[in-house]
Every structure is written in C-alpha cells, then in structure tokens.
Amino acid sequence: MALRRILSDKNPALHKVCKPVVDFDAKLHKLLDDMHETLLDSGGVGLAAPQVGILRRVVLVDNGEKVLELINPTIIATDGQQEGPEGCLSVPGKYGLVKRPYYAKVRAQDRNGNWFETDGEELTARCFCHELDHLEGIIYTKVMERLLTDEELAEYCE
Ligand code: NI
C-alpha cells in the first residue's frame, strides 16, 4: 500500500465526470488499498478516486463501523433532509452549509464486481452524497448555501 497525494479543488481532475469501472483487477485493488491508507492518514470520512487523480467511479466511505468500498455507485433511495457543515479533503480548512437527505441508500459493486446495497443516516448519508457528487465533478462548494465562519463552525462542534 502507498499514500496517494490528495489533489486540491483547483486541479481540473476534480471537475470532470468519472468513467465506470469495467475491470475488477489487481490495478483496481491496488487503487482501493492505496485509497484506504490515504483516507486513514487524512482523518477524513470519505474519499473519491478523482481526488487522487483517477477519473473512475470509485469511492470510500467510513460509516463508523467500517470503510465501505463503493464501485460504480448510485443512490437508489433517499428520505428526509438535513442541513449542516460539510468539508472536503480537497478544500482544506473550509466548511460550508449544505442541505442533504437525512437518509440515503446506495447500490454499488464491491472490488470483485458483485453488486450490493448499503444505507446510512446523518453523516453517512451526507458522505454518500458528497462522495458520489465527486464522481460527477461536483464539489460541495458548488451546491452549498454558503461557507461557514469559524464562529459558526465552533457552534456546530459544541
Ligand atoms: Ni470531498
């Protein structure tokens, strides 16, 4: 495993639509293993392949129990709404106020190509939406209501 460099939102790779994964091979497994290590090192809860410069539909989401590997994921159901602070490893030091569904269910393939479904609420649902947006070249700063001030962020963290 190796750490990969996380690109900033100034990099054009973060603004492109990613291609589906078709080969569930050793190269994909290496990418996933490297992304695991990079996510762990970053202290974040999610990471999308374009953030490490790979324009493929691959994301990792830490749901609090484990790190999910989601290949070619789509959101197949949502419910409710939440509004809260959201950040991104590619936009260091900033947080925005973003509306997301309270609940989201995702269908995806695992590293061997098998389809499965997973779901989550609150932060996990937010993370599913945020990471899947990355695959469309969308960074949260494009869908947020506004950036949060340091004072507002401190209140959310209380
Ligand atoms: Ni992000």
Side-chain angles (χ1 to χ4, degrees), residues 85 95 150-158:
Y95 291 88
D150 290 346
E151 290 76 17
E152 286 175 314
L153 191 61
E155 280 176 32
Y156 272 111
C157 295
E158 271 174 8

Side-chain angles (χ1 to χ4, degrees), residues 14 46-48 51 86-91 130-131 134 138-140:
L14 276 266
L47 185 67
Q51 292 182 277
E86 192 166 311
C88 179
L89 295 170
S90 296
V91 191
H130 177 112
E131 299 310 329
H134 272 302
I138 296 168
I139 300 188
Y140 82 85

